[in-house]
Amino acid sequence: MSDTPPESPESPADFDAMTRDIAEVPAVEVIVTVAVNLMSAAAVKLGLTEEGDKYKDLDEARKLVSALAGLLDASATEISSFHAAPLRDGLKSLQLAFREASLVPDEPGQGPGEKYTGPIYGK
């Protein structure tokens, strides 16, 4: 962690420019970006990166996978299957990875996000 405070807009004009930039981004793009960020964070917490177990934390991974499942469930009618299908595939992969990483796997239907996706079985 750094002692440097987070950057903030230096003037009202900078804030207005940021607002205009955000306003130009389609909602689907925002949803997909958030979903990809949740997937990436979950993969890190599951130990699926090059660093392996260095950042592994299954409690944190459970929260991230559940949040991703909730987002995808809530936005299912808002984003096209073109965007939703690969995100759902990634979610299922994370759910399976969570099950494999757990010393005592959850019962089917009780794993992270399964209240939104239904039970996840095998590969």
Side-chain angles (χ1 to χ4, degrees):
M1 294 213 83
S2 171
D3 292 333
T4 308
E7 291 184 28
S8 61
E10 297 193 14
S11 72
D14 291 340
F15 184 75
D16 290 343
M18 276 188 352
T19 301
R20 274 193 307 278
D21 290 345
I22 291 169
E24 294 172 6
V25 178
V28 170
E29 189 174 325
V30 173
I31 293 167
V32 169
T33 299
V34 170
V36 169
N37 285 330
L38 287 168
M39 291 175 84
S40 297
V44 169
K45 296 297 183 176
L46 285 167
L48 302 177
T49 61
E50 288 181 12
E51 291 86 9
D53 290 347
K54 182 176 180 181
Y55 301 108
K56 189 173 184 176
D57 184 333
L58 294 183
D59 184 51
E60 291 289 301
R62 177 183 293 278
K63 293 171 189 171
L64 292 163
V65 172
S66 293
L68 174 61
L71 174 64
L72 294 181
D73 184 56
S75 63
T77 60
E78 306 300 328
I79 61 177
S80 68
S81 60
F82 173 79
H83 293 9
L87 294 172
R88 282 193 301 266
D89 290 345
L91 171 61
K92 183 176 181 183
S93 294
L94 291 169
Q95 289 170 311
L96 289 169
F98 185 91
R99 187 173 301 283
E100 289 177 14
S102 298
L103 294 176
V104 180
D106 296 316
E107 293 293 320
Q110 302 302 307
E114 290 184 35
K115 73 179 182 180
Y116 301 109
T117 62
I120 302 297
Y121 299 100
K123 293 184 179 198

